[in-house]
Amino acid sequence: MPEIQVNGQPLNVKAGISVLAALQNQGIWTTRTSVSGEPRGALCGMGVCFECRLQVDGKIQKACQLMVQQGMKVVLDAR
Amino acid sequence: MHAEVLVVGAGPAGLAAARAASKNAKVTLLDDNAKMGGQIWRNRPDLKLPANVQWLPSSGIAGVLDEKTLLLEGKALSFDQVILCTGARELHLPFPGWTLPGVLGAGGLQAMIKNGLDVAGKTIVVAGSGPLLLAVAALARQKGAKVLKILEQAPTWQLLPFLRALSAGKILQAAQMGPQTLLGYNPDAYLLQASGEGQLQQVICQIQGKTVQLECDLLAVGFGLVPNLELAVQLGCRLDQGFIQVDDTCKTSQKGIYAAGEITGIGGLDRALLQGEISGLAATNQTIKNLVPRLRASQRFVRTLKNSFTLRPEVLKLAQPDTIVCRCEDVRLSQAQQHDNWRSAKLHTRLGMGACQGRTCAPICQILLGLDSPQTRPPIFATPLKNLLLEEEP
């Protein structure tokens, strides 16, 4: 079971799943705050809508297209 | 990097194209996902490629450098022939509450489940239009979710031509999904709104004329598919009624450029496989003669699919003046309505200028407001500036 960090907190997740699924499985459905301050979560699940973008290992990436890797550092709602 | 035959997109059409072309040429296959299979075969473990297919996963295309060269993130990739199999995305139509976390695309939920989302014990409503709704509901149930309702906006009479056009194989496949597949299936039913505190909690819908409220954890909505035309258009391929124009050999209007699958017309898996095979053979000078009659039949299925799931006027009127149409820039319907063309709406409201570059809102504004967006601006996907710079080749 790979361990990732979400906002600094360690989290053990299933291998072979997306970062998005790992967060959703923890009940985290809000991935970002919109420009007018609304909570938003993933819509398309396939890299088109960009609603699931997060900071992962210092880079803004689409959580739905990224598979979990040991030691990944995920920051929610990063700019 | 150079590819003899480049296949863009590793879904069913792209895989079929790569296999067929590899019998007579060296093939490079790329996709912006980490694994091959596309949306439909996402995470299928048994997909194999022939030896002379080079596989480039997680390769986003940033732009077109010239008619025979693409820009990957920081690298140029030239080709002799290219087969575009860029597929389709879901058509989303806005309704009050559609931006709440927990409201997903129907295909979105399918993709998330295939990528590891655990839906066991979740209460789900599936709504919209098209055969995808049933597939999503079946998958969610198989994984332990409670699918309360499947709301199909088309009335029963409109669905009949689709049922008649299904092949024996498809009917058998549906029968194997079991009678529970149709549990909660309601034609002539559509969403009115979704609501909740910071997250989806309930939906209100119209089922055969009655207004019904349902409590649920997730709402999966899909109103059909729109083709991913950006790359093909930037390569100069001509369109025909909103899709890439191809002949019987899957050749586009541009020399050396072929297209297969959903970007040439929404027709599902069988047609994508057939067109993929034809394009791969044709691009490498192999015979396709016996496949052409099957292709013609598949075009008829494309038309039947379109007619059976034509959207009713009510679902095009669900958005209220304050409903967001552009999720990246939070542009509301009333703001977009003040403009009679895409460019003006963009310049005044930032519509379509966010991270998704209009992929979600452009079809919405086209359908609801008649605003046509050009799909010709680079980059193809929003990408960091450094990716637009070519790395020095050693």
Side-chain angles (χ1 to χ4, degrees), chain A residues 19-30:
Chain A
V19 171
L20 178 65
L23 295 172
Q24 290 171 333
N25 288 346
Q26 291 298 311
I28 301 169
W29 289 86
T30 300

Side-chain angles (χ1 to χ4, degrees), chain B residues 208-228:
Chain B
Q208 285 141 21
K210 282 197 200 109
T211 306
V212 177
Q213 183 173 322
L214 301 165
E215 309 292 312
C216 56
D217 302 314
L218 298 175
L219 168 64
V221 199
F223 287 100
L225 303 175
V226 284
N228 293 321

